[in-house]
Amino acid sequence: KAGVTQTPRYLIKTRGQQVTLSCSPISGHRSVSWYQQTPGQGLQFLFEYFSETQRNKGNFPGRFSGRQFSNSRSEMNVSTLELGDSALYLCASSYNNEQFFGPGTRLTVL
Amino acid sequence: AQKVTQAQTEISVVEKEDVTLDCVYETRDTTYYLFWYKQPPSGELVFLIRRNSFDEQNEISGRYSWNFQKSTSSFNFTITASQVVDSAVYFCALSEAKKSSGDKLTFGTGTRLAVRP
């Protein structure tokens, strides 16, 4: 089985722009979660989608949003980028409470 | 609220030494899952183990072993005969085992392990 894939792997944006990250889960996995990893805050949960519905949400501002499609692929969007949004964004797909992570998208905001 | 504490920020050992990474957790739930992940320099989190709160048996997988003690809320990870390839950041994580919480993971701050040749 192919693992979790994330695109793009690297992204450079400027403040005020918006960005969309994509995640394709492992085949058969219906749950997709997103995490932000920064040196200062560590790994923080953003949100989780299951069967196209947001099942859980972390403590992030409304600029962070996501969605899931019928094929379980998920996207997350960050609008009005700030310097502090520079991070590694990790996507995980899960089945039976076991979460497997993708390689991440490293976002740099200049 | 859930919390995971990894008090060891960095550990440095010489190859072939045994090393134990500590993890202490807090939760009010009676049913939960505990995890360990490895994050090599490439950045991807590699799943190592999941343990159900009802299963306190220790587990061994090759050079890796895990000691789960509910009485002390600890889930420690030991690498026997460490190798340079074990150099990475290791994360301990916790998730509730109820549908309303989904699969949200609460992570510790990680322990950076450096294995010197």
Side-chain angles (χ1 to χ4, degrees):
Chain A
K1 267 188 183 178
V4 180
T5 57
Q6 291 187 246
T7 56
R9 294 291 313 278
Y10 302 91
L11 207 47
I12 299 175
K13 292 284 188 179
T14 55
R15 278 181 297 173
Q17 287 187 310
Q18 77 163 20
V19 67
T20 299
L21 311 182
S22 180
C23 171
S24 292
I26 293 170
S27 178
H29 288 195
R30 293 162 63 190
S31 167
V32 174
S33 299
W34 290 88
Y35 295 82
Q36 181 197 63
Q37 186 177 24
T38 60
Q41 300 298 318
L43 277 156
Q44 292 188 286
F45 173 77
L46 280 157
F47 29 64
E48 180 199 359
Y49 287 86
F50 181 83
S51 294
E52 301 179 66
T53 302
Q54 189 179 83
R55 184 158 70 171
N56 211 337
K57 189 177 188 305
N59 295 324
F60 278 81
R63 300 186 296 106
F64 292 81
S65 63
R67 59 177 176 168
Q68 186 179 35
F69 301 95
S70 57
N71 61 357
S72 293
R73 188 177 72 85
S74 177
E75 288 181 349
M76 68 162 279
N77 185 278
V78 188
S79 62
T80 319
L81 284 166
E82 299 177 0
L83 294 179
D85 297 333
S86 294
L88 179 66
Y89 290 88
L90 291 160
C91 164
S93 79
S94 67
Y95 179 80
N96 198 27
N97 292 106
E98 289 191 2
Q99 291 202 42
F100 299 91
F101 285 80
T105 293
R106 187 165 296 280
L107 171 65
T108 302
V109 182
L110 303 175
Chain B
Q2 300 182 326
K3 186 178 179 183
V4 176
T5 301
Q6 294 180 256
Q8 304 152 308
T9 306
E10 292 191 34
I11 299 176
S12 181
V13 300
V14 177
E15 210 170 15
K16 296 184 184 174
E17 279 187 35
D18 298 347
V19 58
T20 295
L21 309 182
D22 297 333
C23 173
V24 173
Y25 62 91
E26 295 175 31
T27 179
R28 292 182 179 179
D29 299 312
T30 55
T31 307
Y32 48 88
Y33 295 104
L34 293 164
F35 301 79
W36 275 96
Y37 286 89
K38 173 183 179 180
Q39 188 175 43
S42 61
E44 183 170 347
L45 281 170
V46 178
F47 171 86
L48 295 177
I49 190 171
R50 183 195 76 171
R51 172 64 72 217
N52 184 306
S53 55
F54 289 121
D55 182 2
E56 286 195 69
Q57 279 196 347
N58 292 331
E59 180 156 341
I60 298 175
S61 176
R63 296 184 297 108
Y64 295 171
S65 62
W66 291 269
N67 183 299
F68 175 32
Q69 292 198 343
K70 225 169 174 178
S71 59
T72 55
S73 297
S74 66
F75 186 43
N76 296 336
F77 172 32
T78 297
I79 301 175
T80 302
S82 60
Q83 299 176 1
V84 173
V85 293
D86 295 327
S87 297
V89 181
Y90 290 86
F91 290 93
C92 180
L94 169 71
S95 75
E96 299 174 352
K98 50 190 182 190
K99 274 192 175 179
S100 60
S101 300
D103 294 331
K104 172 187 173 183
L105 287 170
T106 298
F107 284 90
T109 50
T111 297
R112 182 177 299 278
L113 173 65
V115 181
R116 308 187 308 276

